[in-house]
Amino acid sequence: MKRRFAFLLAAALIATAPGATAATPDDQLVVGMSMNNITTLDPAAMAGRESTGIATNVYDTLVRLDPIEKTKVHPGLAESWEISDDGSSITFHLREGAKFASGNPVTADDVLWSYKRNVELGLVGAGVWLSFGFTPENFDQYVRAEGNAITITLPEEGDPRLLLYMFGKPDAAAVIDSELAMEHASDGDKGQGWLTTNTAGSGPFKLTNFTANDVIVLERNENYWDDPASMTRVIFRHMPESQTKRLMLERGDIDVGLGLSVPDINALSSNSDVEVQPVPGAGFYYLGVSMKDERFANPKVREALRYLIDYDGINATIMPNYGVERQRPVALGVLGALEDPGYALDVEKAKALLAEAGYPDGFEVELLALNEAPFLDAATAIQGTLAQAGIRANIVTGNGNQVYGPMRERNFEMIVGRGGGGQEPHPHSNLRAMVVNPDNSDDAGLSGVIVWRTSFYDEELNAMAAEALTIRDTEKQADAYEAIQQRLEEVVPALLIFSQVVDTVVFRSDVEDYQNHYGWTTRLEEVHKDR
């Protein structure tokens, strides 16, 4: 059935491009990837790299973060900006003449509406706003516009560099066509239902088709304020199986493949018709537990788990092209990142810790994992090492909603997952996701904060992270972030990191100017084909 589907797709593409030298048309980019984790394209509600990658090309943000020079910031909808002398606020100057794909003008009111909507909805995208101290109640006090100048003031003392980076993240700062969205609002949802499968942006492309777990089609936005996109259309096809993507890349049936398995990437590495582009990414792969579960609330049990992960084995056999070994929640290369503490598989030590915790015979647990590489492979490896200490893990697989949904609702036991910030080149970007939990109550609803999902809470770590943000001396600030990582080792986190993410993209060698972005915001408007 899959072969027939591939044939039909290729035939259809050829039919639309008579005379083309490859299966895909010259002016269209065809991307194969898993859509299991794309449940919405509403910037305020989306989570995960795949949906972020789509939104990046449909929605504009005030600034853009450079994909190579991590601390370099480019203009977006804002032509310029300045940080106040005391570091308490940033003023952006919105460019004149920008339009949404609908033809409506982009205004400062749209910017404020989009940001306030995000905070008021309180979904995934609100997490970063809330972490700075913005709330629905104080938003109007701290986010204001005068003409085309938009001034954002920090409600709490913090690092303005981190605040600036936030305005390059579409989940936190995508600018939505408020008029169009409100035309489709229902029951006070601010367009949330409609924006799940429709878009209202000013980016280089516009969405014309979203069929869940099948296809997403973007077409060139003729109203785009900058140079028009090179491609007239970008087609994302749902291809969860790595071998299908490899076959179609080899035949030229697709131009770009995301999320291929290690064996397939290795096989393609020697193929001169394709290019393999590994890029250090944001976030981590982790084994996570819920501290609502009394077993995992016990630090001895979490410490035992620390010694039941075969870090070397997993990273050598499963993670190449997906990740590199890492055990701390601050990404390599970021200010204050410490070397790993050197944990290794030690079953006897884990057994002793479990016995001290009152579980000498282990226990049974449900382990969630996406049904795709490398999650399922890593979960299977961890299942095997857990079993050596008597922990019987039953792996439950599914799509993004089925796996991360229970975690977001704080209704899970154990998970192999991926995440952890890092989309801004600042240590707090990681810590905000993996360590800082400002409100551990269920009512807080901080589903966009991974550590909140685990119910891990340490008041001292919260205070240390808040203090680190206020330090202006770089060396002293690095010391503060190192101290946070050392404190976390003492209290034993609920998220046990075993790799830092590496994103590997494979594309046909005639695809030019494709540059994967560490923050998942890969822009496609300049991508073209050299034919």
Side-chain angles (χ1 to χ4, degrees):
M1 184 65 182
K2 290 184 175 63
R3 288 183 179 180
R4 176 174 170 73
F5 167 76
F7 170 79
L8 291 173
L9 172 63
L13 293 170
I14 291 171
T16 61
T21 56
T24 59
D26 293 357
D27 64 343
Q28 299 183 25
L29 190 73
V30 183
V31 181
M33 68 178 190
S34 170
M35 295 184 182
N36 282 333
N37 204 29
I38 299 179
T39 57
T40 178
L41 291 179
D42 184 341
M46 67 185 188
R49 67 188 57 209
E50 294 85 3
S51 50
T52 300
I54 303 290
T56 295
N57 290 284
V58 173
Y59 290 98
D60 275 317
T61 47
L62 291 181
V63 299
R64 300 172 185 173
L65 307 182
D66 192 275
I68 305 298
E69 298 181 53
K70 287 190 173 181
T71 57
K72 190 173 183 179
V73 180
H74 300 280
L77 276 178
E79 286 184 307
S80 61
W81 58 91
E82 61 262 5
I83 297 174
S84 64
D85 291 339
D86 64 0
S88 66
S89 64
I90 303 176
T91 297
F92 296 96
H93 300 279
L94 199 61
R95 69 177 62 248
E96 300 281 354
K99 291 182 179 179
F100 290 106
S102 68
N104 292 330
V106 178
T107 68
D109 287 341
D110 288 303
V111 178
L112 266 59
W113 182 86
S114 302
Y115 295 170
K116 189 171 186 179
R117 171 184 185 270
N118 205 337
V119 174
E120 288 182 338
L121 287 177
L123 302 171
V124 175
V128 64
W129 285 93
L130 298 175
S131 72
F132 281 111
F134 295 96
T135 67
E137 292 74 26
N138 70 19
F139 183 89
D140 293 336
Q141 178 184 351
Y142 294 109
V143 184
R144 290 177 290 183
E146 184 174 344
N148 262 10
I150 300 161
T151 299
I152 292 96
T153 302
L154 283 165
E156 303 165 357
E157 191 175 5
D159 192 334
R161 291 171 301 175
L162 180 60
L163 181 66
L164 175 63
Y165 299 146
M166 183 183 82
F167 293 101
K169 288 164 48 69
D171 58 335
V175 178
I176 299 172
D177 183 340
S178 61
E179 182 178 339
L180 180 61
M182 289 306 290
E183 286 176 7
H184 298 277
S186 176
D187 297 328
D189 72 347
K190 301 182 187 297
Q192 187 187 352
W194 184 74
L195 287 170
T196 297
T197 55
N198 297 276
T199 58
S202 60
F205 295 95
K206 60 182 179 181
L207 177 74
T208 57
N209 184 4
F210 177 14
T211 304
N213 286 344
D214 183 11
V215 65
I216 292 174
V217 179
L218 306 184
E219 291 192 1
R220 180 193 288 156
N221 173 15
E222 302 298 342
N223 286 322
Y224 188 45
W225 54 269
D226 204 350
D227 292 338
S230 297
M231 293 289 171
T232 60
R233 185 175 294 142
V234 180
I235 303 170
F236 297 89
R237 305 295 315 203
H238 179 48
M239 295 180 188
E241 289 129 356
S242 178
Q243 285 190 324
T244 302
K245 285 176 280 197
R246 172 183 166 185
L247 174 65
M248 297 185 78
L249 276 166
E250 290 172 331
R251 300 194 325 192
D253 294 338
I254 62 174
D255 300 301
V256 181
L258 308 180
L260 277 80
S261 70
V262 172
D264 289 326
I265 292 172
N266 289 342
L268 288 168
S269 296
S270 59
N271 185 336
S272 61
D273 291 332
V274 300
E275 290 190 26
V276 177
Q277 186 183 77
V279 174
F284 310 95
Y285 290 93
Y286 58 79
L287 173 66
V289 296
S290 171
M291 287 181 57
K292 279 192 167 185
D293 187 312
E294 64 177 13
R295 296 169 297 183
F296 302 123
N298 188 325
K300 292 290 183 184
V301 173
R302 301 198 302 279
E303 191 175 359
L305 296 178
R306 190 180 256 171
Y307 295 103
L308 289 174
I309 299 173
D310 182 5
Y311 302 90
D312 290 344
I314 288 175
N315 281 286
T317 61
I318 297 173
M319 300 310 293
N321 289 313
Y322 289 122
V324 294
E325 186 164 342
R326 184 65 176 153
Q327 298 174 347
R328 294 193 191 272
V330 173
L332 293 166
V334 175
L335 180 72
L338 283 174
E339 293 296 317
D340 279 339
Y343 298 120
L345 179 65
D346 188 336
V347 175
E348 293 308 313
K349 189 167 185 175
K351 283 182 175 178
L353 287 163
L354 286 172
E356 286 183 53
Y359 301 100
D361 300 320
F363 49 79
E364 191 164 343
V365 66
E366 185 178 84
L367 174 59
L368 301 174
L370 284 177
N371 187 24
E372 58 188 68
F375 301 95
L376 186 54
D377 297 329
T380 302
I382 290 172
Q383 179 189 45
T385 47
L386 291 175
Q388 294 179 46
I391 298 178
R392 302 169 296 283
N394 301 310
I395 296 176
V396 177
T397 67
N399 60 27
N401 257 349
Q402 293 164 326
V403 170
Y404 289 112
M407 189 191 191
R408 294 187 188 112
E409 296 170 2
R410 308 218 291 184
N411 183 26
F412 77 108
E413 294 178 344
M414 181 180 281
I415 185 172
V416 168
R418 179 183 64 198
Q423 292 171 278
E424 305 109 305
H426 193 289
H428 193 81
S429 178
N430 292 133
L431 297 177
R432 185 175 58 216
M434 304 293 284
V435 176
V436 178
N437 183 359
D439 185 344
N440 198 35
S441 67
D442 288 343
D443 292 341
L446 304 177
S447 59
V449 180
I450 298 174
V451 70
W452 176 85
R453 301 174 190 170
T454 69
S455 303
F456 174 87
Y457 179 85
D458 185 272
E459 190 170 348
E460 184 173 337
L461 280 169
N462 287 347
M464 293 172 73
E467 173 66 20
L469 270 176
T470 68
I471 300 172
R472 294 289 170 266
D473 182 280
T474 302
E475 189 172 335
K476 290 180 179 176
Q477 192 178 40
D479 291 343
Y481 283 115
E482 291 178 4
I484 290 171
Q485 294 163 79
Q486 289 161 345
R487 162 75 181 168
L488 194 62
E489 292 306 305
E490 296 172 9
V491 299
V492 191
L495 296 163
L496 305 170
I497 296 164
F498 55 83
S499 292
Q500 181 176 330
V501 169
V502 169
D503 291 322
T504 301
V505 179
V506 185
F507 48 84
R508 296 284 299 178
S509 55
D510 60 2
V511 172
E512 299 288 336
D513 291 337
Y514 189 100
Q515 179 56 59
N516 199 33
H517 196 290
Y518 68 91
W520 310 347
T521 52
T522 301
R523 302 188 64 87
L524 301 175
E525 69 263 39
E526 294 182 1
V527 174
H528 60 282
K529 297 179 184 178
D530 182 18
R531 293 181 180 172

